[in-house]
Amino acid sequence: MESQRLDKILASTGKYSRKEARGLIRAGRVLADGVPVRDAAAKLDAEAVHISVDGADIACRRVTWVMLNKPAGYLSATEDRRAPTVLDLLPPELRHLFPVGRLDKDTVGLLLLTDDGATAHALLSPRHHVEKVYMARVSGRLTDADAAAFREGVTLSDGLRCLPAGLEILSADDAESLCRVTVQEGKFHQVRRMLAGRGKPVLFLERVKMGNLPLDETLGRGSFRFLTAEEIENLRVF
Ligand code: URA
């Protein structure tokens, strides 16, 4: 791995902000190979040097994974001329990450961003059937017939057949219904099109889970956090 600034190395563990890292470094609490380094800009190779804070080893990440609670109005892209992208919600040092798949501009909730191309690719591969769970509010009354159609596999307006999906109706009246949808694929506008195809257009869509990783409910919309080492490991169960 390349050498990086010491404050950046500490921040990439997800345990400290850059500011906190600088404070720790200034206070002489950060050692590199047993020697205090008081310069936050000192460049070190985190995989070659043994770094500790208050005597505890820093586990250095080779990859970065971030969970974002995406708000409406942001594109799941790395750049766009007209609309803000999800990268605008991250600090400059994390803008090399890319979104793992896409949420529509108006879909909110769990979006992962990473620089770990191999795992991202595997998570998105249709071969691995990684489940994505969404909460949807729709217009009209959802019925058991809709749930049965989802179980069978809905055919979209362009003739594409979806794999069997879960539709759990949480509340339903003539005006609106609330449901939990579980899909294994990621076709373009899939959940919206599946529900629209049943005559129940989506009013609000939120992704709440990807694989075994639920959206962290303590994250406000527009906020992000680093995944823990355990969460990253758990994503790699293919
Ligand atoms: N399905 C959709 O229709 N939109 C999303 O953003 C995600 C899944």
Side-chain angles (χ1 to χ4, degrees), residues 26 114 228:
R26 256 197 314 275
T114 189
T228 64

Side-chain angles (χ1 to χ4, degrees), residues 2 16 23 76 83 88 96 107 115 118 123 163 175 214 218 226 232 234:
E2 287 170 34
Y16 317 101
S76 301
D88 293 320
H96 64 290
T107 302
D115 51 10
L123 268 176
L163 290 174
T218 67
F226 290 94
I232 297 170
N234 287 342

Side-chain angles (χ1 to χ4, degrees), residues 102-104 107 134 189-193 205:
R102 278 166 191 262
L103 289 179
D104 299 336
T107 302
Y134 297 85
H189 295 327
Q190 180 162 351
V191 174
R192 291 175 196 272
R193 291 164 76 206
L205 189 62

Side-chain angles (χ1 to χ4, degrees), residues 138-151 166-174 176-179 195 198-200:
V138 301
S139 214
R141 182 185 287 277
L142 283 168
T143 64
D144 290 345
D146 295 320
F150 271 51
R151 271 198 304 279
L167 173 65
E168 192 183 338
I169 303 169
L170 303 173
S171 70
D173 65 34
D174 287 343
E176 279 184 20
S177 307
L178 191 66
C179 62
L195 286 161
R198 300 293 307 169
K200 315 284 157 55

Side-chain angles (χ1 to χ4, degrees), residues 70 76 102-108 132 134 183 185-194 202 205-207:
K70 180 190 170 297
S76 301
R102 278 166 191 262
L103 289 179
D104 299 336
K105 190 173 177 192
D106 288 326
T107 302
V108 302
K132 271 88 61 179
Y134 297 85
V183 294
E185 319 164 85
K187 295 193 200 310
F188 185 62
H189 295 327
Q190 180 162 351
V191 174
R192 291 175 196 272
R193 291 164 76 206
M194 287 168 88
V202 166
L205 189 62
E206 177 182 33
R207 181 152 66 195

